[in-house]
Amino acid sequence: MGQLLHHSFKAPNPKGDLDRFMTTRFVNKLRTCLKEAGWARKESEQEKAGTFLVGVHGRLFIVYGDYQVAEPADGYAAIGCGNEFALGALLATATANLQARERLTAALSAASHHSTDVCEPFTFTTAPSLSELYEVQARQYQDAAVPGPRKPADAVKEGAEP
């Protein structure tokens, strides 16, 4: 599922109420992607997928295997087999003066120490901020070549008889 989310899923652009967007447009597009790739399955006539985290516009959402969407009240979450250990570390570091990467490292270290199914290497990815995306878009417009005037498809070639 992670590979499909990374390589195949094209999330729609969020517009309007973010809660409504996540539970409707986002989930519908996700379901389509997972079904087409053969990942989604049915058990007792209910669709099942996987659980993952989505960060959008500075907010964090958990998308559960039954496509329910939740926003954690604490502003952080963990999923997977070491989630309880990671959540403990995130709570313990909530009031510490640590950067986000340091808190994540502490959470992953706790999970890998207490769970035999969690281990290094860990990969951290940072998505560009909205302002960074606007800067990229502005540069693309600035660098775009403007095509010259188009000739009609039925234009008569010079020297040819009509």
Side-chain angles (χ1 to χ4, degrees):
M1 183 189 71
Q3 291 169 328
L4 291 172
L5 292 173
H6 181 73
H7 297 291
S8 182
F9 180 61
K10 303 292 183 222
N13 291 326
K15 292 180 184 168
D17 181 296
L18 197 51
D19 293 316
R20 180 182 299 271
F21 164 80
M22 288 299 296
T23 58
T24 57
R25 292 186 58 222
F26 182 89
V27 165
N28 289 338
K29 187 103 182 217
L30 171 67
R31 288 177 64 212
T32 300
C33 173
L34 296 179
K35 278 183 195 178
E36 288 175 356
W39 174 260
R41 60 198 182 280
K42 274 193 166 187
E43 291 177 12
S44 302
E45 294 305 309
Q46 183 178 9
E47 283 185 45
K48 296 283 185 184
T51 301
F52 60 95
L53 302 174
V54 177
V56 59
H57 294 312
R59 292 171 63 185
L60 181 65
F61 296 92
I62 306 169
V63 180
Y64 291 99
D66 61 357
Y67 302 109
Q68 290 188 65
V69 178
E71 185 172 14
D74 295 320
Y76 58 83
I79 58 169
C81 59
N83 75 322
E84 292 158 339
F85 307 115
L87 286 172
L90 289 169
L91 176 63
T93 59
T95 57
N97 191 21
L98 298 175
Q99 297 294 318
R101 177 70 57 94
E102 293 172 308
R103 287 186 71 206
L104 289 172
T105 300
L108 290 167
S109 293
S112 68
H113 180 81
H114 292 287
S115 174
T116 58
D117 295 321
V118 179
C119 66
E120 294 186 49
F122 302 120
T123 303
F124 296 87
T125 304
T126 304
S129 68
L130 197 53
S131 60
E132 290 171 324
L133 290 174
Y134 286 144
E135 288 175 20
V136 168
Q137 189 177 32
R139 282 195 301 271
Q140 288 173 340
Y141 280 123
Q142 188 177 24
D143 298 341
V146 178
R150 292 181 49 174
K151 295 181 182 179
D154 60 348
V156 178
K157 293 182 184 177
E158 238 178 83
E161 293 198 24

